[in-house]
Amino acid sequence: MSRNIAPAVTHTSTTTEKTLRLIGTVLRAQSGFFWVQTEQGVLECRLRGRLKKERQATDLVVIGDQVEVMPVGNGQGAIEAVLPRRSRLARRAAGPRGAYKEDVIVANVDQVLLVFSCTKPEFTPRMLDRYLVICEHSELPVVIVATKIDLVVQHAAEAMFSPYARIGYPVFYTSIVSGEGIAELRSQLAGRISVVTGKSGVGKSSLLNAIQPGLNLRTGEISERLTKGRHTTTVAELIPLDLPGGGYVADTPGIREIGLWNVPERDLAWCFREFRPFLDDCYFAGCTHLHEPHCAVRAAVERGDITAARYDSYARLMESEDEE
Ligand SMILES: Nc1nc2c(ncn2[C@@H]2O[C@H](COP(=O)(O)OP(=O)(O)OP(=O)(O)O)[C@@H](O)[C@H]2O)c(=O)[nH]1
Ligand SMILES: [Zn+2]
């Protein structure tokens, strides 16, 4: 019987495997391949079969995930484990029988940059409010970036954005023409995973280029080697920042569909953060803050503790009239 020999060999190889494992960040995921930033550079990885069985197929591994990788040589590796996520940006989509399912788009998001221009295109507070609802619902920290401040007078920019600063959101006033706010934003991005979003033309690419020349989300490529021979579609990816302490910005097509995300009505008032102190004081439990008598939220609007504009955004979202 050769029973004594085989286990010893297995044991040796397990020990070797353990010492070779690296922790890395998933930069890109496409067609079953994952590009993982490790201390040995970027490795092209596949999932261990065992992992596929253990976790749900939809959001097995996404960009931003911290993973344990075993290098197998030739710039390749195998993902052995996924570390717990500290946050995630997910899209809620209608699932079977009226239920919701969640598609995780980016894991371990530290902040979402909501980019809005003071003009060209016109500032749209209702759209900002809707983005804020989504971030609050996912409990993701928000940074509001006001762009093109060189095109308006200072008090006009402040009239647009200071209501948001007053309710506790950090606001960065920026211009790529004057350079204002760029250094501050650069330090805000350093060492963090950031999602950048905002509608077309607000100046996202210009801003990122000012922060790091050559940084362009839509054309961002990790390296030529990683895309050779594969058919290239738009995929979510993390783009490394060349800043002290590193950091990444996420380029994800999913963010552009943010307007389609669905936050349940009962959660909506809580997602307007300045409403929260009043939510327990309404006369009716389950108050929608739309028509009920003795509503503490509407009383706060009348007193000026909540702005009419924010309340209006809330009411429109509740009545699903927001089509913007
Ligand atoms: N005056 C001024 N113009 C700016 C500023 N930032 C961007 N722009 C201009 O605004 C236009 C749109 O800027 P982009 O950076 O392409 O906007 P974007 O948000 O990346 O647009 P999409 O790629 O369509 O999503 C360009 O003509 C920029 O030169 C700014 O701070 N001041
Ligand atoms: Zn109420």
PDB file of all heavy atoms in Angstrom, residues 31-69:
ATOM      1  N   SER A  31     -15.740  38.724 -19.032  1.00  0.00           N
ATOM      2  CA  SER A  31     -15.883  37.364 -19.568  1.00  0.00           C
ATOM      3  C   SER A  31     -15.127  36.312 -18.767  1.00  0.00           C
ATOM      4  O   SER A  31     -14.407  35.493 -19.326  1.00  0.00           O
ATOM      5  CB  SER A  31     -15.402  37.293 -21.023  1.00  0.00           C
ATOM      6  OG  SER A  31     -15.676  38.471 -21.712  1.00  0.00           O
ATOM      7  N   GLY A  32     -15.265  36.355 -17.464  1.00  0.00           N
ATOM      8  CA  GLY A  32     -14.648  35.326 -16.643  1.00  0.00           C
ATOM      9  C   GLY A  32     -13.183  35.560 -16.332  1.00  0.00           C
ATOM     10  O   GLY A  32     -12.549  34.763 -15.649  1.00  0.00           O
ATOM     11  N   PHE A  33     -12.625  36.674 -16.833  1.00  0.00           N
ATOM     12  CA  PHE A  33     -11.247  37.035 -16.501  1.00  0.00           C
ATOM     13  C   PHE A  33     -11.239  38.243 -15.574  1.00  0.00           C
ATOM     14  O   PHE A  33     -12.082  39.132 -15.691  1.00  0.00           O
ATOM     15  CB  PHE A  33     -10.448  37.386 -17.765  1.00  0.00           C
ATOM     16  CG  PHE A  33     -10.113  36.186 -18.593  1.00  0.00           C
ATOM     17  CD1 PHE A  33     -10.958  35.763 -19.609  1.00  0.00           C
ATOM     18  CD2 PHE A  33      -8.941  35.471 -18.337  1.00  0.00           C
ATOM     19  CE1 PHE A  33     -10.652  34.643 -20.363  1.00  0.00           C
ATOM     20  CE2 PHE A  33      -8.628  34.355 -19.095  1.00  0.00           C
ATOM     21  CZ  PHE A  33      -9.483  33.934 -20.119  1.00  0.00           C
ATOM     22  N   PHE A  34     -10.275  38.257 -14.682  1.00  0.00           N
ATOM     23  CA  PHE A  34     -10.160  39.358 -13.728  1.00  0.00           C
ATOM     24  C   PHE A  34      -8.727  39.851 -13.728  1.00  0.00           C
ATOM     25  O   PHE A  34      -7.799  39.058 -13.669  1.00  0.00           O
ATOM     26  CB  PHE A  34     -10.549  38.880 -12.323  1.00  0.00           C
ATOM     27  CG  PHE A  34     -11.938  38.338 -12.266  1.00  0.00           C
ATOM     28  CD1 PHE A  34     -12.186  36.990 -12.542  1.00  0.00           C
ATOM     29  CD2 PHE A  34     -13.012  39.170 -11.987  1.00  0.00           C
ATOM     30  CE1 PHE A  34     -13.473  36.483 -12.526  1.00  0.00           C
ATOM     31  CE2 PHE A  34     -14.300  38.677 -11.962  1.00  0.00           C
ATOM     32  CZ  PHE A  34     -14.538  37.337 -12.236  1.00  0.00           C
ATOM     33  N   TRP A  35      -8.575  41.173 -13.805  1.00  0.00           N
ATOM     34  CA  TRP A  35      -7.243  41.753 -13.757  1.00  0.00           C
ATOM     35  C   TRP A  35      -7.036  42.303 -12.356  1.00  0.00           C
ATOM     36  O   TRP A  35      -7.787  43.175 -11.911  1.00  0.00           O
ATOM     37  CB  TRP A  35      -7.092  42.830 -14.818  1.00  0.00           C
ATOM     38  CG  TRP A  35      -7.008  42.231 -16.186  1.00  0.00           C
ATOM     39  CD1 TRP A  35      -5.867  41.897 -16.850  1.00  0.00           C
ATOM     40  CD2 TRP A  35      -8.097  41.858 -17.052  1.00  0.00           C
ATOM     41  NE1 TRP A  35      -6.177  41.336 -18.079  1.00  0.00           N
ATOM     42  CE2 TRP A  35      -7.530  41.304 -18.225  1.00  0.00           C
ATOM     43  CE3 TRP A  35      -9.482  41.930 -16.956  1.00  0.00           C
ATOM     44  CZ2 TRP A  35      -8.294  40.827 -19.278  1.00  0.00           C
ATOM     45  CZ3 TRP A  35     -10.251  41.458 -18.007  1.00  0.00           C
ATOM     46  CH2 TRP A  35      -9.657  40.913 -19.159  1.00  0.00           C
ATOM     47  N   VAL A  36      -6.063  41.744 -11.665  1.00  0.00           N
ATOM     48  CA  VAL A  36      -5.895  42.040 -10.251  1.00  0.00           C
ATOM     49  C   VAL A  36      -4.551  42.738 -10.013  1.00  0.00           C
ATOM     50  O   VAL A  36      -3.498  42.217 -10.398  1.00  0.00           O
ATOM     51  CB  VAL A  36      -5.963  40.738  -9.412  1.00  0.00           C
ATOM     52  CG1 VAL A  36      -5.829  41.053  -7.929  1.00  0.00           C
ATOM     53  CG2 VAL A  36      -7.274  39.994  -9.681  1.00  0.00           C
ATOM     54  N   GLN A  37      -4.632  43.914  -9.380  1.00  0.00           N
ATOM     55  CA  GLN A  37      -3.415  44.638  -9.013  1.00  0.00           C
ATOM     56  C   GLN A  37      -2.819  44.010  -7.757  1.00  0.00           C
ATOM     57  O   GLN A  37      -3.460  43.985  -6.715  1.00  0.00           O
ATOM     58  CB  GLN A  37      -3.760  46.109  -8.738  1.00  0.00           C
ATOM     59  CG  GLN A  37      -2.582  46.959  -8.313  1.00  0.00           C
ATOM     60  CD  GLN A  37      -1.653  47.281  -9.475  1.00  0.00           C
ATOM     61  OE1 GLN A  37      -2.076  47.881 -10.447  1.00  0.00           O
ATOM     62  NE2 GLN A  37      -0.402  46.866  -9.373  1.00  0.00           N
ATOM     63  N   THR A  38      -1.619  43.468  -7.881  1.00  0.00           N
ATOM     64  CA  THR A  38      -0.952  42.878  -6.722  1.00  0.00           C
ATOM     65  C   THR A  38       0.424  43.519  -6.596  1.00  0.00           C
ATOM     66  O   THR A  38       0.823  44.325  -7.450  1.00  0.00           O
ATOM     67  CB  THR A  38      -0.744  41.354  -6.892  1.00  0.00           C
ATOM     68  OG1 THR A  38       0.280  41.145  -7.883  1.00  0.00           O
ATOM     69  CG2 THR A  38      -2.018  40.656  -7.321  1.00  0.00           C
ATOM     70  N   GLU A  39       1.148  43.123  -5.548  1.00  0.00           N
ATOM     71  CA  GLU A  39       2.507  43.683  -5.399  1.00  0.00           C
ATOM     72  C   GLU A  39       3.442  43.167  -6.496  1.00  0.00           C
ATOM     73  O   GLU A  39       4.512  43.708  -6.696  1.00  0.00           O
ATOM     74  CB  GLU A  39       3.051  43.357  -4.000  1.00  0.00           C
ATOM     75  CG  GLU A  39       3.166  41.871  -3.764  1.00  0.00           C
ATOM     76  CD  GLU A  39       3.496  41.510  -2.320  1.00  0.00           C
ATOM     77  OE1 GLU A  39       3.038  42.231  -1.424  1.00  0.00           O
ATOM     78  OE2 GLU A  39       4.206  40.502  -2.130  1.00  0.00           O
ATOM     79  N   GLN A  40       3.018  42.113  -7.203  1.00  0.00           N
ATOM     80  CA  GLN A  40       3.815  41.620  -8.336  1.00  0.00           C
ATOM     81  C   GLN A  40       3.317  42.175  -9.661  1.00  0.00           C
ATOM     82  O   GLN A  40       3.566  41.614 -10.720  1.00  0.00           O
ATOM     83  CB  GLN A  40       3.758  40.093  -8.390  1.00  0.00           C
ATOM     84  CG  GLN A  40       4.435  39.425  -7.211  1.00  0.00           C
ATOM     85  CD  GLN A  40       4.439  37.911  -7.320  1.00  0.00           C
ATOM     86  OE1 GLN A  40       4.056  37.321  -8.330  1.00  0.00           O
ATOM     87  NE2 GLN A  40       4.881  37.257  -6.253  1.00  0.00           N
ATOM     88  N   GLY A  41       2.568  43.242  -9.609  1.00  0.00           N
ATOM     89  CA  GLY A  41       2.007  43.828 -10.826  1.00  0.00           C
ATOM     90  C   GLY A  41       0.590  43.342 -11.055  1.00  0.00           C
ATOM     91  O   GLY A  41      -0.015  42.718 -10.189  1.00  0.00           O
ATOM     92  N   VAL A  42       0.079  43.604 -12.272  1.00  0.00           N
ATOM     93  CA  VAL A  42      -1.291  43.205 -12.591  1.00  0.00           C
ATOM     94  C   VAL A  42      -1.289  41.767 -13.104  1.00  0.00           C
ATOM     95  O   VAL A  42      -0.561  41.439 -14.035  1.00  0.00           O
ATOM     96  CB  VAL A  42      -1.909  44.145 -13.646  1.00  0.00           C
ATOM     97  CG1 VAL A  42      -3.315  43.690 -14.013  1.00  0.00           C
ATOM     98  CG2 VAL A  42      -1.944  45.583 -13.127  1.00  0.00           C
ATOM     99  N   LEU A  43      -2.065  40.909 -12.467  1.00  0.00           N
ATOM    100  CA  LEU A  43      -2.173  39.515 -12.894  1.00  0.00           C
ATOM    101  C   LEU A  43      -3.531  39.275 -13.543  1.00  0.00           C
ATOM    102  O   LEU A  43      -4.545  39.792 -13.079  1.00  0.00           O
ATOM    103  CB  LEU A  43      -2.008  38.558 -11.705  1.00  0.00           C
ATOM    104  CG  LEU A  43      -0.697  38.644 -10.918  1.00  0.00           C
ATOM    105  CD1 LEU A  43      -0.681  37.599  -9.805  1.00  0.00           C
ATOM    106  CD2 LEU A  43       0.508  38.447 -11.837  1.00  0.00           C
ATOM    107  N   GLU A  44      -3.512  38.499 -14.610  1.00  0.00           N
ATOM    108  CA  GLU A  44      -4.761  38.116 -15.268  1.00  0.00           C
ATOM    109  C   GLU A  44      -5.236  36.826 -14.601  1.00  0.00           C
ATOM    110  O   GLU A  44      -4.545  35.818 -14.644  1.00  0.00           O
ATOM    111  CB  GLU A  44      -4.487  37.891 -16.753  1.00  0.00           C
ATOM    112  CG  GLU A  44      -5.727  37.635 -17.564  1.00  0.00           C
ATOM    113  CD  GLU A  44      -5.385  37.346 -19.031  1.00  0.00           C
ATOM    114  OE1 GLU A  44      -4.943  38.285 -19.721  1.00  0.00           O
ATOM    115  OE2 GLU A  44      -5.544  36.198 -19.455  1.00  0.00           O
ATOM    116  N   CYS A  45      -6.401  36.895 -13.982  1.00  0.00           N
ATOM    117  CA  CYS A  45      -6.826  35.767 -13.144  1.00  0.00           C
ATOM    118  C   CYS A  45      -8.150  35.160 -13.585  1.00  0.00           C
ATOM    119  O   CYS A  45      -8.996  35.834 -14.177  1.00  0.00           O
ATOM    120  CB  CYS A  45      -6.980  36.222 -11.697  1.00  0.00           C
ATOM    121  SG  CYS A  45      -5.484  36.893 -10.980  1.00  0.00           S
ATOM    122  N   ARG A  46      -8.301  33.915 -13.233  1.00  0.00           N
ATOM    123  CA  ARG A  46      -9.589  33.234 -13.315  1.00  0.00           C
ATOM    124  C   ARG A  46     -10.004  32.866 -11.903  1.00  0.00           C
ATOM    125  O   ARG A  46      -9.191  32.868 -10.995  1.00  0.00           O
ATOM    126  CB  ARG A  46      -9.461  31.950 -14.137  1.00  0.00           C
ATOM    127  CG  ARG A  46      -9.374  32.161 -15.627  1.00  0.00           C
ATOM    128  CD  ARG A  46      -9.103  30.816 -16.274  1.00  0.00           C
ATOM    129  NE  ARG A  46      -9.263  30.856 -17.708  1.00  0.00           N
ATOM    130  CZ  ARG A  46     -10.430  30.793 -18.338  1.00  0.00           C
ATOM    131  NH1 ARG A  46     -11.562  30.700 -17.660  1.00  0.00           N
ATOM    132  NH2 ARG A  46     -10.489  30.818 -19.661  1.00  0.00           N
ATOM    133  N   LEU A  47     -11.273  32.500 -11.738  1.00  0.00           N
ATOM    134  CA  LEU A  47     -11.734  32.072 -10.422  1.00  0.00           C
ATOM    135  C   LEU A  47     -11.460  30.595 -10.251  1.00  0.00           C
ATOM    136  O   LEU A  47     -11.630  29.819 -11.190  1.00  0.00           O
ATOM    137  CB  LEU A  47     -13.247  32.275 -10.292  1.00  0.00           C
ATOM    138  CG  LEU A  47     -13.785  33.685 -10.295  1.00  0.00           C
ATOM    139  CD1 LEU A  47     -15.287  33.635 -10.051  1.00  0.00           C
ATOM    140  CD2 LEU A  47     -13.112  34.505  -9.216  1.00  0.00           C
ATOM    141  N   ARG A  48     -11.067  30.207  -9.034  1.00  0.00           N
ATOM    142  CA  ARG A  48     -11.027  28.798  -8.699  1.00  0.00           C
ATOM    143  C   ARG A  48     -12.436  28.234  -8.778  1.00  0.00           C
ATOM    144  O   ARG A  48     -13.385  28.884  -8.338  1.00  0.00           O
ATOM    145  CB  ARG A  48     -10.550  28.629  -7.247  1.00  0.00           C
ATOM    146  CG  ARG A  48      -9.079  28.555  -7.109  1.00  0.00           C
ATOM    147  CD  ARG A  48      -8.541  27.173  -7.474  1.00  0.00           C
ATOM    148  NE  ARG A  48      -7.140  27.075  -7.110  1.00  0.00           N
ATOM    149  CZ  ARG A  48      -6.136  27.089  -7.990  1.00  0.00           C
ATOM    150  NH1 ARG A  48      -6.371  27.193  -9.276  1.00  0.00           N
ATOM    151  NH2 ARG A  48      -4.894  26.992  -7.583  1.00  0.00           N
ATOM    152  N   GLY A  49     -12.568  27.044  -9.320  1.00  0.00           N
ATOM    153  CA  GLY A  49     -13.884  26.427  -9.472  1.00  0.00           C
ATOM    154  C   GLY A  49     -14.659  26.366  -8.163  1.00  0.00           C
ATOM    155  O   GLY A  49     -15.852  26.613  -8.119  1.00  0.00           O
ATOM    156  N   ARG A  50     -13.947  26.101  -7.084  1.00  0.00           N
ATOM    157  CA  ARG A  50     -14.560  25.994  -5.757  1.00  0.00           C
ATOM    158  C   ARG A  50     -15.303  27.284  -5.402  1.00  0.00           C
ATOM    159  O   ARG A  50     -16.406  27.284  -4.883  1.00  0.00           O
ATOM    160  CB  ARG A  50     -13.440  25.712  -4.748  1.00  0.00           C
ATOM    161  CG  ARG A  50     -13.811  25.831  -3.294  1.00  0.00           C
ATOM    162  CD  ARG A  50     -12.731  25.171  -2.415  1.00  0.00           C
ATOM    163  NE  ARG A  50     -11.353  25.383  -2.886  1.00  0.00           N
ATOM    164  CZ  ARG A  50     -10.644  26.479  -2.609  1.00  0.00           C
ATOM    165  NH1 ARG A  50     -11.145  27.442  -1.900  1.00  0.00           N
ATOM    166  NH2 ARG A  50      -9.402  26.588  -3.055  1.00  0.00           N
ATOM    167  N   LEU A  51     -14.697  28.415  -5.747  1.00  0.00           N
ATOM    168  CA  LEU A  51     -15.253  29.721  -5.444  1.00  0.00           C
ATOM    169  C   LEU A  51     -16.551  29.950  -6.208  1.00  0.00           C
ATOM    170  O   LEU A  51     -17.504  30.519  -5.699  1.00  0.00           O
ATOM    171  CB  LEU A  51     -14.221  30.770  -5.828  1.00  0.00           C
ATOM    172  CG  LEU A  51     -14.267  32.115  -5.135  1.00  0.00           C
ATOM    173  CD1 LEU A  51     -14.150  31.941  -3.639  1.00  0.00           C
ATOM    174  CD2 LEU A  51     -13.125  32.965  -5.649  1.00  0.00           C
ATOM    175  N   LYS A  52     -16.587  29.496  -7.433  1.00  0.00           N
ATOM    176  CA  LYS A  52     -17.787  29.680  -8.260  1.00  0.00           C
ATOM    177  C   LYS A  52     -18.976  28.992  -7.632  1.00  0.00           C
ATOM    178  O   LYS A  52     -20.089  29.489  -7.686  1.00  0.00           O
ATOM    179  CB  LYS A  52     -17.555  29.117  -9.662  1.00  0.00           C
ATOM    180  CG  LYS A  52     -16.614  29.941 -10.490  1.00  0.00           C
ATOM    181  CD  LYS A  52     -16.595  29.428 -11.914  1.00  0.00           C
ATOM    182  CE  LYS A  52     -15.281  29.770 -12.584  1.00  0.00           C
ATOM    183  NZ  LYS A  52     -15.005  28.951 -13.735  1.00  0.00           N
ATOM    184  N   LYS A  53     -18.723  27.829  -7.026  1.00  0.00           N
ATOM    185  CA  LYS A  53     -19.828  27.080  -6.422  1.00  0.00           C
ATOM    186  C   LYS A  53     -20.311  27.747  -5.143  1.00  0.00           C
ATOM    187  O   LYS A  53     -21.478  27.780  -4.839  1.00  0.00           O
ATOM    188  CB  LYS A  53     -19.383  25.643  -6.107  1.00  0.00           C
ATOM    189  CG  LYS A  53     -19.253  24.805  -7.350  1.00  0.00           C
ATOM    190  CD  LYS A  53     -19.086  23.332  -6.992  1.00  0.00           C
ATOM    191  CE  LYS A  53     -18.439  22.577  -8.142  1.00  0.00           C
ATOM    192  NZ  LYS A  53     -17.109  22.059  -7.794  1.00  0.00           N
ATOM    193  N   GLU A  54     -19.368  28.315  -4.381  1.00  0.00           N
ATOM    194  CA  GLU A  54     -19.700  28.864  -3.074  1.00  0.00           C
ATOM    195  C   GLU A  54     -20.543  30.127  -3.153  1.00  0.00           C
ATOM    196  O   GLU A  54     -21.337  30.412  -2.284  1.00  0.00           O
ATOM    197  CB  GLU A  54     -18.417  29.221  -2.301  1.00  0.00           C
ATOM    198  CG  GLU A  54     -17.755  28.026  -1.668  1.00  0.00           C
ATOM    199  CD  GLU A  54     -16.349  28.360  -1.159  1.00  0.00           C
ATOM    200  OE1 GLU A  54     -16.013  29.556  -1.083  1.00  0.00           O
ATOM    201  OE2 GLU A  54     -15.608  27.403  -0.871  1.00  0.00           O
ATOM    202  N   ARG A  55     -20.318  30.935  -4.159  1.00  0.00           N
ATOM    203  CA  ARG A  55     -20.973  32.241  -4.210  1.00  0.00           C
ATOM    204  C   ARG A  55     -21.938  32.337  -5.374  1.00  0.00           C
ATOM    205  O   ARG A  55     -21.876  31.564  -6.307  1.00  0.00           O
ATOM    206  CB  ARG A  55     -19.907  33.347  -4.316  1.00  0.00           C
ATOM    207  CG  ARG A  55     -19.033  33.424  -3.087  1.00  0.00           C
ATOM    208  CD  ARG A  55     -17.822  34.283  -3.354  1.00  0.00           C
ATOM    209  NE  ARG A  55     -18.197  35.668  -3.588  1.00  0.00           N
ATOM    210  CZ  ARG A  55     -18.089  36.626  -2.672  1.00  0.00           C
ATOM    211  NH1 ARG A  55     -17.642  36.331  -1.493  1.00  0.00           N
ATOM    212  NH2 ARG A  55     -18.421  37.858  -2.953  1.00  0.00           N
ATOM    213  N   GLN A  56     -22.834  33.320  -5.282  1.00  0.00           N
ATOM    214  CA  GLN A  56     -23.807  33.505  -6.350  1.00  0.00           C
ATOM    215  C   GLN A  56     -23.114  34.005  -7.615  1.00  0.00           C
ATOM    216  O   GLN A  56     -22.203  34.819  -7.552  1.00  0.00           O
ATOM    217  CB  GLN A  56     -24.851  34.521  -5.916  1.00  0.00           C
ATOM    218  CG  GLN A  56     -25.736  33.971  -4.827  1.00  0.00           C
ATOM    219  CD  GLN A  56     -27.113  34.560  -4.920  1.00  0.00           C
ATOM    220  OE1 GLN A  56     -27.282  35.668  -5.421  1.00  0.00           O
ATOM    221  NE2 GLN A  56     -28.095  33.822  -4.466  1.00  0.00           N
ATOM    222  N   ALA A  57     -23.579  33.532  -8.714  1.00  0.00           N
ATOM    223  CA  ALA A  57     -22.902  33.821  -9.974  1.00  0.00           C
ATOM    224  C   ALA A  57     -22.892  35.310 -10.332  1.00  0.00           C
ATOM    225  O   ALA A  57     -21.922  35.810 -10.871  1.00  0.00           O
ATOM    226  CB  ALA A  57     -23.538  33.018 -11.097  1.00  0.00           C
ATOM    227  N   THR A  58     -23.959  36.056 -10.000  1.00  0.00           N
ATOM    228  CA  THR A  58     -24.096  37.430 -10.489  1.00  0.00           C
ATOM    229  C   THR A  58     -23.007  38.371 -10.014  1.00  0.00           C
ATOM    230  O   THR A  58     -22.430  39.098 -10.799  1.00  0.00           O
ATOM    231  CB  THR A  58     -25.458  38.025 -10.088  1.00  0.00           C
ATOM    232  OG1 THR A  58     -25.642  37.775  -8.691  1.00  0.00           O
ATOM    233  CG2 THR A  58     -26.570  37.431 -10.899  1.00  0.00           C
ATOM    234  N   ASP A  59     -22.754  38.379  -8.718  1.00  0.00           N
ATOM    235  CA  ASP A  59     -21.774  39.348  -8.218  1.00  0.00           C
ATOM    236  C   ASP A  59     -20.638  38.649  -7.495  1.00  0.00           C
ATOM    237  O   ASP A  59     -20.180  39.062  -6.454  1.00  0.00           O
ATOM    238  CB  ASP A  59     -22.441  40.384  -7.314  1.00  0.00           C
ATOM    239  CG  ASP A  59     -23.072  39.736  -6.095  1.00  0.00           C
ATOM    240  OD1 ASP A  59     -23.167  38.504  -6.082  1.00  0.00           O
ATOM    241  OD2 ASP A  59     -23.439  40.470  -5.174  1.00  0.00           O
ATOM    242  N   LEU A  60     -20.209  37.568  -8.080  1.00  0.00           N
ATOM    243  CA  LEU A  60     -19.107  36.766  -7.561  1.00  0.00           C
ATOM    244  C   LEU A  60     -17.912  37.632  -7.192  1.00  0.00           C
ATOM    245  O   LEU A  60     -17.509  37.696  -6.051  1.00  0.00           O
ATOM    246  CB  LEU A  60     -18.722  35.795  -8.665  1.00  0.00           C
ATOM    247  CG  LEU A  60     -18.019  34.532  -8.306  1.00  0.00           C
ATOM    248  CD1 LEU A  60     -18.857  33.714  -7.368  1.00  0.00           C
ATOM    249  CD2 LEU A  60     -17.738  33.745  -9.577  1.00  0.00           C
ATOM    250  N   VAL A  61     -17.358  38.267  -8.182  1.00  0.00           N
ATOM    251  CA  VAL A  61     -16.218  39.154  -7.987  1.00  0.00           C
ATOM    252  C   VAL A  61     -16.453  40.362  -8.864  1.00  0.00           C
ATOM    253  O   VAL A  61     -16.762  40.217 -10.051  1.00  0.00           O
ATOM    254  CB  VAL A  61     -14.896  38.468  -8.400  1.00  0.00           C
ATOM    255  CG1 VAL A  61     -13.732  39.437  -8.293  1.00  0.00           C
ATOM    256  CG2 VAL A  61     -14.623  37.234  -7.537  1.00  0.00           C
ATOM    257  N   VAL A  62     -16.352  41.546  -8.304  1.00  0.00           N
ATOM    258  CA  VAL A  62     -16.530  42.762  -9.099  1.00  0.00           C
ATOM    259  C   VAL A  62     -15.324  43.670  -8.896  1.00  0.00           C
ATOM    260  O   VAL A  62     -14.498  43.423  -8.005  1.00  0.00           O
ATOM    261  CB  VAL A  62     -17.836  43.519  -8.725  1.00  0.00           C
ATOM    262  CG1 VAL A  62     -19.061  42.649  -8.941  1.00  0.00           C
ATOM    263  CG2 VAL A  62     -17.775  44.039  -7.290  1.00  0.00           C
ATOM    264  N   ILE A  63     -15.231  44.714  -9.703  1.00  0.00           N
ATOM    265  CA  ILE A  63     -14.108  45.635  -9.548  1.00  0.00           C
ATOM    266  C   ILE A  63     -14.163  46.253  -8.151  1.00  0.00           C
ATOM    267  O   ILE A  63     -15.233  46.465  -7.602  1.00  0.00           O
ATOM    268  CB  ILE A  63     -14.067  46.724 -10.650  1.00  0.00           C
ATOM    269  CG1 ILE A  63     -15.315  47.612 -10.622  1.00  0.00           C
ATOM    270  CG2 ILE A  63     -13.884  46.099 -12.023  1.00  0.00           C
ATOM    271  CD1 ILE A  63     -15.174  48.863 -11.481  1.00  0.00           C
ATOM    272  N   GLY A  64     -13.001  46.483  -7.591  1.00  0.00           N
ATOM    273  CA  GLY A  64     -12.913  47.023  -6.235  1.00  0.00           C
ATOM    274  C   GLY A  64     -12.783  45.939  -5.181  1.00  0.00           C
ATOM    275  O   GLY A  64     -12.387  46.224  -4.051  1.00  0.00           O
ATOM    276  N   ASP A  65     -13.113  44.710  -5.529  1.00  0.00           N
ATOM    277  CA  ASP A  65     -12.991  43.628  -4.556  1.00  0.00           C
ATOM    278  C   ASP A  65     -11.528  43.403  -4.188  1.00  0.00           C
ATOM    279  O   ASP A  65     -10.639  43.496  -5.035  1.00  0.00           O
ATOM    280  CB  ASP A  65     -13.571  42.317  -5.125  1.00  0.00           C
ATOM    281  CG  ASP A  65     -15.016  42.099  -4.697  1.00  0.00           C
ATOM    282  OD1 ASP A  65     -15.359  42.449  -3.548  1.00  0.00           O
ATOM    283  OD2 ASP A  65     -15.794  41.576  -5.516  1.00  0.00           O
ATOM    284  N   GLN A  66     -11.324  43.086  -2.902  1.00  0.00           N
ATOM    285  CA  GLN A  66     -10.016  42.639  -2.438  1.00  0.00           C
ATOM    286  C   GLN A  66     -10.028  41.119  -2.507  1.00  0.00           C
ATOM    287  O   GLN A  66     -10.933  40.484  -1.950  1.00  0.00           O
ATOM    288  CB  GLN A  66      -9.797  43.068  -0.988  1.00  0.00           C
ATOM    289  CG  GLN A  66      -9.650  44.554  -0.789  1.00  0.00           C
ATOM    290  CD  GLN A  66      -8.289  45.035  -1.242  1.00  0.00           C
ATOM    291  OE1 GLN A  66      -8.168  45.648  -2.296  1.00  0.00           O
ATOM    292  NE2 GLN A  66      -7.260  44.739  -0.470  1.00  0.00           N
ATOM    293  N   VAL A  67      -9.061  40.549  -3.202  1.00  0.00           N
ATOM    294  CA  VAL A  67      -9.059  39.099  -3.385  1.00  0.00           C
ATOM    295  C   VAL A  67      -7.711  38.484  -3.019  1.00  0.00           C
ATOM    296  O   VAL A  67      -6.689  39.170  -3.014  1.00  0.00           O
ATOM    297  CB  VAL A  67      -9.412  38.716  -4.851  1.00  0.00           C
ATOM    298  CG1 VAL A  67     -10.846  39.067  -5.174  1.00  0.00           C
ATOM    299  CG2 VAL A  67      -8.458  39.368  -5.842  1.00  0.00           C
ATOM    300  N   GLU A  68      -7.760  37.200  -2.722  1.00  0.00           N
ATOM    301  CA  GLU A  68      -6.550  36.419  -2.490  1.00  0.00           C
ATOM    302  C   GLU A  68      -6.215  35.713  -3.785  1.00  0.00           C
ATOM    303  O   GLU A  68      -7.050  34.988  -4.326  1.00  0.00           O
ATOM    304  CB  GLU A  68      -6.832  35.361  -1.426  1.00  0.00           C
ATOM    305  CG  GLU A  68      -6.098  35.585  -0.129  1.00  0.00           C
ATOM    306  CD  GLU A  68      -6.431  34.485   0.857  1.00  0.00           C
ATOM    307  OE1 GLU A  68      -6.137  33.321   0.563  1.00  0.00           O
ATOM    308  OE2 GLU A  68      -7.006  34.836   1.897  1.00  0.00           O
ATOM    309  N   VAL A  69      -5.014  35.930  -4.252  1.00  0.00           N
ATOM    310  CA  VAL A  69      -4.626  35.403  -5.558  1.00  0.00           C
ATOM    311  C   VAL A  69      -3.416  34.494  -5.430  1.00  0.00           C
ATOM    312  O   VAL A  69      -2.486  34.784  -4.684  1.00  0.00           O
ATOM    313  CB  VAL A  69      -4.275  36.576  -6.508  1.00  0.00           C
ATOM    314  CG1 VAL A  69      -3.589  36.088  -7.771  1.00  0.00           C
ATOM    315  CG2 VAL A  69      -5.517  37.367  -6.862  1.00  0.00           C
TER     316      VAL A  69
END
